């Protein structure tokens, strides 16, 4: 009986931990969050679809949040910080406009959207590696760094994306 109770408690704890980000995001505000303006979502989608080189030249207009903190560098990856800054800036735009953190437009604060933004981040870093790090050793090292940055946001980015 005691083993069954422990198993049930462990299952409940696992279920609660799995739901925690959703519950936190849902209970962060007391007022219901209005649905985002579909035209804003479409405009943000068009901006996010731009090649990173074009994104970096777009006029920074409201109501979008264009702030960036550059690249948060995982351990040992400082040499890639400058190289990946455009991809980091695009990633910040995605989190700050689609995520549900206070002060954001909360255009689509869903796990699927976060995953899309994170994957786009990886793709842009890999494109940068293809263009800027020719040669098998430098290219392979660059792809490794890109995956390290990607894993950092995929695993640790929930606090920045969700409320």
């Amino acid at each position: 009986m005691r083993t069954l109770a422990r198993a049930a408690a462990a299952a409940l704890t696992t279920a609660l931990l799995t739901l925690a980000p959703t519950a936190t995001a849902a209970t962060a505000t007391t007022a219901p969050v209005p649905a985002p303006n579909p035209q804003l979502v479409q405009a943000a989608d068009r901006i996010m679809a731009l090649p990173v080189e074009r994104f970096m030249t777009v006029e920074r207009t409201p109501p979008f949040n264009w702030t960036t903190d550059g690249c948060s560098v995982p351990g040992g990856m400082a040499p890639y910080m400058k190289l990946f800054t455009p991809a980091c800036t695009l990633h910040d735009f995605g989190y700050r406009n689609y995520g549900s953190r206070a002060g954001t437009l909360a255009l689509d604060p869903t796990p699927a959207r976060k995953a899309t933004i994170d994957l786009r981040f990886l793709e842009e870093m890999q494109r940068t590696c293809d263009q800027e790090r020719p040669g098998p050793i430098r290219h392979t090292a660059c792809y490794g760094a890109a995956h390290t940055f990607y894993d950092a946001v995929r695993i640790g980015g929930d606090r920045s994306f969700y409320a």
Side-chain angles (χ1 to χ4, degrees):
M1 185 66 127
R2 200 179 252 178
T3 304
L4 183 59
R6 283 188 194 142
L12 179 59
T13 301
T14 301
L16 289 174
L17 288 174
T18 302
L19 295 174
T22 305
T24 302
T27 58
T29 61
T30 55
V33 177
N37 177 326
Q39 285 131 350
L40 278 180
V41 175
Q42 290 173 356
D45 288 348
R46 283 192 300 274
I47 293 168
M48 283 295 295
L50 293 171
V52 73
E53 297 83 10
R54 175 73 181 102
F55 169 82
M56 294 301 289
T57 65
V58 168
E59 183 180 350
R60 302 326 200 211
T61 58
F64 298 114
N65 182 339
W66 296 93
T67 62
T68 182
D69 57 5
C71 289
S72 301
V73 183
M77 297 291 115
Y80 294 94
M81 186 170 73
K82 185 176 180 183
L83 182 67
F84 293 152
T85 293
C88 292
T89 303
L90 178 67
H91 187 262
D92 287 347
F93 176 87
Y95 270 35
R96 284 166 171 75
N97 291 288
Y98 291 99
S100 62
R101 239 181 121 137
T104 68
L105 293 173
L107 296 176
D108 186 12
T110 62
R113 179 62 77 162
K114 180 185 177 297
T116 299
I117 294 167
D118 291 347
L119 189 57
R120 176 72 194 283
F121 180 47
L122 175 62
E123 291 167 353
E124 288 301 336
M125 289 185 292
Q126 289 175 330
R127 186 183 337 271
T128 300
C129 291
D130 293 343
Q131 295 169 353
E132 302 294 327
R133 294 293 190 257
I137 294 173
R138 291 179 73 204
H139 189 263
T140 301
C142 189
Y143 261 56
H147 276 277
T148 300
F149 276 75
Y150 168 71
D151 287 341
V153 297
R154 186 178 55 82
I155 295 166
D158 284 0
R159 288 183 311 183
S160 296
F161 188 76
Y162 302 107

